[in-house]
Amino acid sequence: MDWTDHAIWWHVYPLGFCGAPIRDADHALTHRLPRLTHWLDYAVQLGVSGLLMGPIFDSQTHGYDTLDPFRIDPRLGDDADFDALVAGCKQRGLRIVLDGVFSHVGSGHPLVRQAVQEGPTGPRAELFDIDWNAPDGPAPRVFEGHGDLVRFNHSSSQAERYVTDVMEHWLGRGIDGWRLDAAYSVPTRFWSQVLPPVRSQHPEAWFLGEVIHGDYADFVDSSGVDSVTQYELWKAIWSSLKDANLFELAWSLKRHNGFLDDFAPNTFIGNHDVTRIASTLGPDGAVTAAAILMTIGGIPSIYYGDEQGFTGVKEERFGGDDDVRPAVPEDPSQLSTLGAGIHRAYQELIGLRRRHPWLVTATTETLELRNAQFSYRVSASDSDDFLEVGIDLESASKVVIKDASGEVLWTQPSLGQGVS
């Protein structure tokens, strides 16, 4: 098995996690990244195998408007802080995947300004997607209508070299892979040109593409990434639990089986772009969702704070991400005790998954299905091992997990609040 077959990610949005100002104009050097280092033992005790990190590079505001991908965001710290984080992870056996924003850059990126100033024959003219014949003069084309996000020119070899250089730089500094932000918005040919030379230098690197809709398997095949974000299953998990319609989950797991024939998707029930699972389902419902996540095929990631029952609602407004990207205390000892029950359930479920590493490629088979009851068998792809998972939304113990002999391995504890 590759190291990624054992991966269980703790997904962290560093700017929020470390309490950095998002829209404050003051970007003075402040050493906030050590706060994340203080939480590495907590990550180990939770049972995860690595950090799936949001953006940490110099940017204008939220991290996805990059100004310099070769520089740590001064709101987080500097190279020494990053090196200390890498060293701390390696000491504990934790992997690191960084967020690569290679669809676009911030409009204030100095090379954007240089390209516009030098014109269509300048040395940087082909790096970005610029309309040189716009009525009011050269106009960089933007990402999904966001005026502050300028698109790379993904048909140019100059952009390919730039992205390759960024990837190789940080892989050389000790990271283990890249999450490719908005990978769906970039032609797959671009990834197929960029990734092979990077892999030739770093053959164990892992590449996760952010893909929301579409043909996941085809994207993996044509782009060369290792995995994509399984948004279909994310939606099916919370929606089926919220509406007590487990037919939706069963249908999505059938499709998920098909993806597992080709690759191991990144599975999740929370991330930096969506409403917190505990806000959607309540504490008990959030644990039910986690039990599903930990007993299906794929490479799971846990969004920081979900294991403590953090709440937060994503809103479509300016600053609407803030509630789902909060700061945490300086160290775990300062956490509220209110999340202890959920945290223990997560530890148990992660431990169960680690004891059954074959789950990464396991497929599911429906055994019984009604609106509020669903039992499935999840079977190893290369042996006779299997688990049986029973979900009963009308029972106090909503999930029961058994092994092939019928022994009960885990029963969901009641936290006193059901699915809302």
Side-chain angles (χ1 to χ4, degrees):
M1 300 179 80
D2 294 333
W3 68 265
T4 53
D5 292 332
H6 299 275
I8 302 173
W9 299 110
W10 197 39
H11 184 185
V12 175
Y13 176 75
L15 288 169
F17 186 102
C18 297
I22 302 300
R23 287 169 293 277
D24 194 321
D26 182 10
H27 282 205
L29 176 62
T30 308
H31 300 280
R32 294 185 174 94
L33 202 55
R35 180 180 301 192
L36 181 52
T37 304
H38 297 162
W39 282 74
L40 295 182
D41 287 337
Y42 171 92
V44 171
Q45 292 160 8
L46 179 61
V48 300
S49 62
L51 303 182
L52 177 62
M53 296 178 63
I56 62 169
F57 306 129
D58 189 13
S59 67
Q60 294 171 191
T61 57
H62 45 59
Y64 292 97
D65 44 6
T66 312
L67 296 175
D68 185 352
F70 294 97
R71 181 190 184 207
I72 299 298
D73 195 306
R75 292 171 293 173
L76 293 173
D78 55 20
D79 279 357
D81 296 318
F82 175 78
D83 290 340
L85 176 63
V86 171
C89 285
K90 289 189 180 301
Q91 288 168 4
R92 295 165 176 83
L94 296 171
R95 302 276 183 164
I96 299 180
V97 169
L98 293 186
D99 209 339
V101 188
F102 303 127
S103 163
H104 51 269
V105 300
S107 58
H109 194 297
L111 294 183
V112 172
R113 296 175 178 172
Q114 179 182 336
V116 171
Q117 290 171 355
E118 293 174 344
T121 61
R124 296 291 183 178
E126 294 185 357
L127 184 56
F128 303 103
D129 188 2
I130 299 173
D131 182 357
W132 297 107
N133 300 311
D136 297 324
R141 295 185 175 92
V142 300
F143 171 72
E144 296 184 350
H146 298 284
D148 290 334
L149 304 178
V150 173
R151 295 279 294 171
F152 278 108
N153 175 10
H154 295 105
S155 64
S156 76
S157 58
Q158 190 171 130
E160 292 171 6
R161 289 193 300 272
Y162 184 85
V163 170
T164 298
D165 288 347
V166 174
M167 286 185 176
E168 292 185 347
H169 175 81
W170 294 102
L171 285 164
R173 293 280 299 275
I175 72 166
D176 300 282
W178 287 95
R179 174 191 179 272
L180 307 177
D181 180 67
Y184 62 85
S185 71
V186 176
T188 54
R189 181 187 177 281
F190 181 81
W191 302 123
S192 70
Q193 294 294 114
V194 166
L195 296 183
V198 178
R199 288 190 192 277
S200 69
Q201 298 298 314
H202 304 277
E204 290 195 349
W206 184 67
F207 298 92
L208 166 66
E210 183 192 18
V211 180
I212 300 174
H213 306 294
D215 188 334
Y216 292 160
D218 180 70
F219 187 94
V220 170
D221 181 62
S222 58
S223 68
V225 300
D226 297 294
S227 182
V228 296
T229 50
Q230 226 297 31
Y231 268 93
E232 282 188 19
L233 188 58
W234 161 77
K235 192 271 180 185
I237 292 174
W238 69 257
S239 179
S240 64
L241 295 179
K242 186 174 179 64
D243 298 338
N245 176 20
L246 292 168
F247 284 88
E248 180 182 2
L249 176 59
W251 171 252
S252 184
L253 285 174
K254 280 187 179 181
R255 285 182 53 78
H256 191 63
N257 284 344
F259 301 141
L260 287 161
D261 288 339
D262 298 304
F263 68 99
N266 167 224
T267 53
F268 59 95
I269 55 174
N271 66 28
H272 63 296
D273 282 330
V274 302
T275 291
R276 290 274 183 176
I277 192 70
S279 289
T280 301
L281 300 177
D284 278 332
V287 173
T288 303
I292 296 168
L293 177 68
M294 289 298 151
T295 55
I296 56 177
I299 298 174
S301 57
I302 298 160
Y303 187 50
Y304 80 100
D306 280 356
E307 78 284 353
Q308 291 285 340
F310 280 18
T311 57
V313 176
K314 159 87 170 186
E315 298 180 2
E316 297 302 325
R317 61 171 178 81
F318 182 73
D321 296 314
D322 292 356
D323 282 352
V324 299
R325 303 174 178 181
V328 300
E330 283 291 334
D331 66 71
S333 67
Q334 300 171 21
L335 278 170
S336 166
T337 59
L338 294 176
I342 294 180
H343 181 254
R344 181 58 186 163
Y346 264 85
Q347 287 180 312
E348 293 169 351
L349 288 165
I350 294 170
L352 184 150
R353 188 176 185 92
R354 292 182 73 121
R355 291 190 295 274
H356 301 83
W358 51 263
L359 280 166
V360 68
T361 56
T363 55
T364 57
E365 171 192 358
T366 296
L367 301 177
E368 182 181 1
L369 178 60
R370 294 192 293 274
N371 280 345
Q373 289 83 32
F374 176 32
S375 61
Y376 58 86
R377 176 175 291 178
V378 55
S379 302
S381 61
D382 57 358
S383 73
D384 294 330
D385 286 331
F386 67 86
L387 300 177
E388 289 190 357
V389 181
I391 305 170
D392 185 348
L393 300 183
E394 296 175 347
S395 168
S397 298
K398 291 182 171 55
V399 180
V400 177
I401 304 171
K402 299 178 181 180
D403 66 13
S405 70
E407 180 183 353
V408 174
L409 302 180
W410 187 81
T411 300
Q412 180 173 341
S414 176
L415 300 173
Q417 297 186 42
V419 175
S420 60

